[in-house]
């Protein structure tokens, strides 16, 4: 069955779904996106993802292509036509179509809106989590507004590619010796005292929605949390490490630049947080 995408009001096979060549997303990366995890037809952490969607649009002075309720209708229909119940949903809005000019038109133009859904194998992901993943490190060469979830991701793409070449799944970005976040995830360590450490909000990272719930799970588990930047040196000496993102939930990290973290296996804290995260989302979604 051909995969179906939603593009500006139409549900089309991916190969036929098209965007105007003068779309500002295509020419300037002038747009934003969200990725949501869907289990049994339910969007996990939906309020957070919609809140950040609105924030990103506002920061770029963009109009939303439609309201949240209408977006949910599109997502549900897209899942239905693709016969998906556990999936990753990608939504992207760009400023719209206009003759190429860096400055965008003064009068509002209609934003472009695209949604795709890809199957997600939860059992396989659980298998990966049981083994853990490796990360590499790379200088953080991104712009200063990484708090906005823009589609402008070239430094992230290059860092991920370098990681993949070293058989790692993620790159941890660092600036002035401090780890900011992953190329597509937030970065966490547990130090030798058992403190959970992750970069604070307020500059330098994207405020991950998975990060938010992981902090709540950590509080519920009674963990000591420090929201502060940590050094590369601290990362190499950590007892445990993990990353969080909608695409991976809480994923244990077992090596950094090929060097084992702690015992080189998924640690108990990361494993407990992943369990707590999944249990909490499942419980919320079965109650609603
Ligand atoms: N990326 N930091 C960056 C730079 C990210 O791109 C992401 C997510 C996160 C984690 O955010 P969240 O927990 O809300 O998924 C942090 C998505 C998954 C992506 O680009 O595919």
């Amino acid at each position: 069955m051909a995969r179906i995408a939603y593009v500006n009001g139409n549900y089309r096979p991916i190969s036929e779904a098209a965007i105007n060549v003068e779309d500002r997303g295509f020419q300037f990366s002038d747009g934003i996106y969200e990725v949501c995890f869907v289990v049994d037809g339910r969007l996990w952490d939906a309020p957070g993802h919609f809140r950040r969607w609105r924030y990103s649009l506002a920061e770029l002075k963009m109009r939303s292509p439609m309201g949240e309720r209408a977006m949910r209708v599109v997502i549900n229909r897209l899942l239905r036509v693709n016969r998906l119940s556990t999936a990753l949903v990608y939504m992207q809005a760009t400023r719209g179509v206009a003759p190429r000019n860096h400055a965008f038109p003064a009068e509002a133009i209609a934003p472009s809106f695209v949604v795709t859904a890809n199957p997600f194998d939860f059992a396989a992901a659980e298998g990966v989590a049981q083994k853990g993943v490796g990360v590499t490190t790379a200088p953080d060469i991104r712009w200063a507004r990484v708090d906005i979830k823009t589609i402008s991701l070239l430094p992230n793409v290059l860092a991920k590619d370098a990681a993949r070449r070293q058989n790692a799944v993620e790159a941890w970005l660092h600036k002035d010796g401090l780890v900011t976040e992953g190329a597509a995830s937030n970065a966490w360590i547990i130090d030798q005292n058992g403190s959970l450490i992750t970069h604070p909000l307020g500059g330098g990272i994207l405020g991950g929605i998975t990060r938010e719930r992981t902090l709540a799970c950590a509080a519920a588990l009674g963990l000591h949390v420090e929201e502060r930047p940590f050094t590369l040196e601290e990362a190499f000496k950590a007892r445990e490490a993990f990353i969080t993102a909608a695409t991976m939930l809480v994923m244990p990290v077992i090596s950094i630049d090929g060097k084992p973290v702690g015992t080189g296996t998924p640690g108990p804290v990361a494993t407990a947080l992943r369990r707590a995260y999944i249990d909490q989302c499942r419980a919320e979604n079965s109650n609603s």
Side-chain angles (χ1 to χ4, degrees):
M1 194 186 82
R3 280 171 54 220
I4 308 289
Y6 171 89
V7 184
N8 291 332
N10 300 305
Y11 296 82
R12 288 268 157 77
I14 290 264
S15 56
E16 294 166 23
I19 284 282
N20 191 302
V21 292
E22 287 195 315
D23 191 282
R24 290 184 57 88
F26 181 55
Q27 295 193 326
F28 293 110
S29 302
D30 191 358
I32 62 126
Y33 76 106
E34 277 296 326
V35 178
C36 295
F37 191 40
V38 176
V39 179
D40 299 332
R42 308 270 190 164
L43 288 174
W44 280 15
D45 290 325
H49 286 289
F50 284 116
R51 175 175 28 90
R52 190 172 59 190
W53 174 264
R54 290 190 297 270
Y55 173 77
S56 299
L57 288 170
E59 291 302 297
L60 297 186
K61 303 187 188 74
M62 273 177 57
R63 284 200 295 147
S64 187
M66 58 178 72
E68 179 181 325
R69 277 175 67 157
M71 283 170 75
R72 283 177 179 269
V73 170
V74 168
I75 292 167
N76 288 335
R77 178 154 170 209
L78 192 69
L79 291 168
R80 242 186 357 263
V81 296
N82 282 292
R83 299 205 189 102
L84 289 172
S85 67
T86 298
L88 282 173
V89 167
Y90 175 81
M91 0 186 212
Q92 173 180 317
T94 67
R95 198 177 303 275
V97 177
R100 187 177 184 278
N101 184 355
H102 285 68
F104 45 85
E107 69 287 357
I109 49 176
S112 302
F113 186 39
V114 170
V115 188
T116 57
N118 284 310
F120 186 88
D121 186 341
F122 207 160
E126 285 292 90
V128 174
Q130 273 161 29
K131 289 198 180 114
V133 299
V135 302
T136 52
T137 59
D140 192 342
I141 57 170
R142 300 173 301 161
W143 75 324
R145 292 306 309 274
V146 295
D147 56 308
I148 309 170
K149 200 160 174 62
T150 76
I151 56 172
S152 185
L153 291 170
L154 209 40
N156 314 56
V157 166
L158 294 175
K160 271 272 200 190
D161 177 65
R164 184 184 53 79
R165 286 170 195 277
Q166 294 165 73
N167 298 316
V169 308
E170 180 58 304
W172 275 13
L173 308 177
H174 56 88
K175 208 174 229 168
D176 305 324
L178 299 169
V179 175
T180 49
E181 61 179 334
S185 63
N186 290 113
W188 307 66
I189 57 167
I190 293 129
D191 72 7
Q192 294 299 335
N193 300 320
S195 294
L196 185 55
I197 308 169
T198 194
H199 196 288
L201 301 180
I205 66 164
L206 178 78
I209 305 307
T210 319
R211 174 188 182 279
E212 221 170 271
R213 188 188 288 276
T214 302
L215 282 171
C217 291
L221 292 174
L223 298 172
H224 177 254
V225 179
E226 294 175 27
E227 285 186 72
R228 64 161 175 87
F230 57 86
T231 63
L232 277 172
E233 205 183 333
E234 284 181 286
F236 285 117
K237 284 192 199 145
R239 190 193 275 178
E240 287 185 45
F242 63 90
I243 48 183
T244 55
T247 45
M248 286 179 284
L249 307 179
V250 178
M251 182 59 73
V253 168
I254 55 166
S255 70
I256 303 174
D257 285 341
K259 299 181 192 76
V261 175
T263 58
T265 56
V269 175
T271 304
L273 283 169
R274 182 177 176 88
R275 194 70 274 138
Y277 194 100
I278 292 171
D279 288 350
Q280 212 180 79
C281 286
R282 278 200 193 285
E284 262 177 30
N285 285 296
S286 59
N287 290 339
S288 57

